[in-house]
Amino acid sequence: MGRPRAFDEDDAVRAAAGLFAARGYEGTSVDDLVGTLGVHRGSLYKVFGSKRGLYLAALRRHLDEDVLPLTAAIAVADGLPAALAQAAAAYDSAPAAGLLLLAAAERAAADPDTAALVDEGLTALERALAAVLAADGAAAAPPGLAQALAATVLGVRLRSRAAGGRPGAEAVLALAAHLLR
């Protein structure tokens, strides 16, 4: 029987998600993780197998606790403007804000496991917006409108991250109003 774990795995994954969101995968060293999480290097490798294993656990946690609950709320929003405003203001937010977008840009093309998690998060947003369009009776909406709106939301979120967190819901709402005329 081994020694009991000296750290809380859930707390470690949560803290790692914030660190990866702030610095990216490549910008976060194992020394950064060990120092921030307060765990021994050997314990980190024993529990997560590698830096990549911890990264995937952090991204999974961000999806399950932040991204997917928000997309579920977006899917039942009171109309497309409310759904888009909610998505533009909060998609991929929470303590690990931007982790999904960063994973899409930095890791998805080179790591199939990261790509699968990114696809899950992006598809959830597209489905939520498609559900709102259907509920609004937008049967005449052009094919792919939900995907285009989701891509616009992601662009606004990325621009918001670069501009210090200013939400840009107005741009998404203007696009939706133009497309639905």
Side-chain angles (χ1 to χ4, degrees):
M1 184 171 172
R3 292 181 10 192
R5 189 171 298 145
F7 69 96
D8 183 284
E9 186 176 327
D10 198 46
D11 287 346
V13 171
R14 182 180 305 111
L19 195 57
F20 284 126
R23 299 180 183 179
Y25 179 83
E26 296 299 333
T28 304
S29 70
V30 172
D31 287 341
D32 293 334
L33 291 165
V34 168
T36 299
L37 307 180
V39 302
H40 293 284
R41 182 181 298 264
S43 297
L44 188 143
Y45 283 115
K46 182 177 180 183
V47 172
F48 301 105
S50 64
K51 172 183 157 184
R52 180 180 174 272
L54 177 55
Y55 177 79
L56 291 172
L59 186 54
R60 175 80 261 165
R61 177 187 171 79
H62 181 54
L63 279 173
D64 290 343
E65 296 194 2
D66 305 323
V67 173
L68 298 179
L70 178 69
T71 56
I74 290 170
V76 295
D78 188 21
L80 186 60
L84 291 172
Q86 189 174 7
Y91 184 75
D92 193 21
S93 62
L99 181 57
L100 183 65
L101 289 173
L102 207 50
E106 182 185 36
R107 299 279 306 154
D111 183 336
D113 293 326
T114 299
L117 292 171
V118 166
D119 184 61
E120 182 181 341
L122 300 182
T123 299
L125 178 59
E126 292 169 358
R127 287 184 180 151
L129 293 174
V132 172
L133 284 168
D136 274 358
L145 179 58
Q147 290 84 1
L149 291 172
T152 303
V153 166
L154 298 174
V156 165
R157 294 291 303 164
L158 191 58
R159 191 173 193 295
S160 171
R161 181 181 168 114
R166 250 185 346 199
E170 300 82 18
V172 180
L173 295 174
L175 175 64
H178 179 75
L179 293 174
L180 295 174
R181 279 191 272 173

